Each structure stands twice: as structure tokens, then as C-alpha cells.
Amino acid sequence: MLWKVSLVAYALSAGFLFWFIKGKDRWAQIWSSRIVFVGFLAQTGVILWGAWSGQRLPITSLSGALHFLSWCIISAYLVATWRYRVASVGLVALPLSAVMWALGGPPRLPVAVSPSLESHWLTIHGLLSFAAEASLATAFGAGVLYLVQERRIRSRCSVETLGRLPSLEILDEVNYRCMSVGFLLLTAGIITGAIWASEVWGSYWSWQAKETWGLITWLVYAGLLHQRLNAGWRGKRAAAMAIVGFVFVILTFAGAGLMGSGPHRFDRFQG
């Protein structure tokens, strides 16, 4: 029931938000904000149920990981909306979160994991890594909207054509801040993951697919931030960077988690 409530709420909220940004009545934004909170509360209920049932962070199955990432993306969206007044990022964050929530399917009882993986480092590593991915997803959303707004301004579109998108300066700032926070969290996630690996497998690094792709993603964002700070890559180029970087996040999450080798594969978590 709560799973369906979240799914419907995010679809409705995105619809109202799109209606508002097209320059329609302001009440559409108010309803979008109210409905997204309903969905978030329902989603939080599902996440808490999964954590309570499994007595751990519910990320050790593909379904649980998709649900938790979806919840983290909405959390990051709500923080960005509160901090920067950029509810329009929801045009990307809400559909993205809804798709992940739907792909995760209805919640089910957690499956037992291998006893060797029972560690508090799994919780710390998971929280940091998923928070990083959510922050980078928000940077991705700001980047997409930057390109839309830049094209809209260049084409001299009317107010009715997404006329309530934030200014290019605000979207660029949100992109930079979210990418910076995401990079720091990703760094902390990799470090705590290495500590967890050492505790479980006796080695800090074993070049499993997930580890390798995580390192590649970290290097991509390190390069992007370096170019922004030292070579002046801002605006349109920075927006494109955020989109490219998030492709690597998805490849690491889905590709390495489903098709990679080693115990980071979702089906290998279960014992």
C-alpha cells in the first residue's frame, strides 16, 4: 500500500510541478510540495520497515538498493529545495526516483545475508555511498535544467515554455554545490568501503568490478571538479560534466552490481 502511495504521489507531484513551471497557477506548486511530502512519508515507512525486518540497512538486495537510492534522491531533492529554493529540480529528481522505486517492486521480507558481511561498516559505507549518489543525482538534475534553460533563453522562448525555471546562475551554483558534496561523500564511502573489505575479506582493495568502477567514477568527478576550479569550466560545460559524471554513477550502481564479479554483486550478498 505505502509503495503504491509513494509511486502515485511522485507522479502527481511531478505533474503539478511541470504545470507550475510552464507558467500556470501558483497553486500547482503548493500541491506539488504537499504531495511530495506524502510520498516521502510513505517511502520512509517502507524503508524503516525494511530496516526493522532485516535488522540492517536495507541495501543488500537489488530491490532494497533501488528503494533506498530512490529515498535518498528524494531526501537530497528536499534539502536542495529548502536550501536553494529550486523545486524545479524535481522535474528530474521525481521521475528518476519514481522509476527506481517502481523497478524495485513492492517491498518484500529481507533475505538473510552471509554472516561474514554482518558489520557496522556495511551501514556506514552504505549510508555514505548512497548519499553521495543522491547528491550527484541532484547535480545531474540541475545540469539537465541548466541546458534546458540555456537553450530556452537562446531561442527566446515565451514565458509559457518552462518560464519559471530558475536562473542559469542558480542552477550552476546548485550543480557545483551538489557535485562537491557528492564527491566528498563518495570519497568517504570508498574509504569506509575499504575498511569494511579489510574486516571481511582481509584486504583493503581487491579490484572487484564494483571497486574498480567506483574508483573510475571518483576519478571522473575529481577531474571534473579540478577543471571547474582550475580551468574555469562553468555554465554549459559544467552542466554537461554533471550529466556525464552521473552516467558513471549509474554504470557503477547497476552495471557492476548486476553484471560484475565478486561479492559486491547483489545476489552474492545473500547467504
Side-chain angles (χ1 to χ4, degrees), residues 137-214:
T138 308
F140 163 74
V144 170
L145 293 185
Y146 184 99
L147 296 181
V148 172
Q149 179 71 313
E150 192 269 342
R151 182 180 177 82
R152 182 183 159 276
I153 292 173
R154 187 155 42 86
S155 303
R156 298 182 180 178
C157 293
S158 64
V159 174
E160 285 73 21
T161 310
L162 302 179
R164 282 179 170 159
L165 283 176
S167 67
L168 293 178
E169 290 75 16
I170 290 177
L171 289 170
D172 188 51
E173 179 71 9
V174 173
N175 178 11
Y176 171 61
R177 295 294 177 189
C178 290
M179 191 185 295
S180 299
V181 170
F183 178 72
L184 291 175
L185 290 169
L186 183 62
T187 303
I190 290 175
I191 292 172
T192 53
I195 296 172
W196 176 43
S198 175
E199 184 180 275
V200 176
W201 298 296
S203 171
Y204 287 103
W205 200 270
S206 53
W207 296 105
Q208 298 164 16
K210 192 85 170 185
E211 294 173 342
T212 304
W213 275 99

Side-chain angles (χ1 to χ4, degrees), residues 2-3 6 39-59 64 67-69 71-72 75 101 107-110 123 127:
L2 292 179
W3 178 77
S6 296
F40 182 69
L41 289 175
Q43 203 175 26
T44 302
V46 173
I47 297 296
L48 290 177
W49 175 82
W52 178 79
S53 301
Q55 295 297 300
R56 75 180 73 86
L57 199 63
I59 57 172
H67 285 168
F68 194 68
L69 182 55
W71 181 82
C72 287
S75 301
W101 192 249
R108 64 206 72 169
L109 283 172
T123 302
L127 283 174

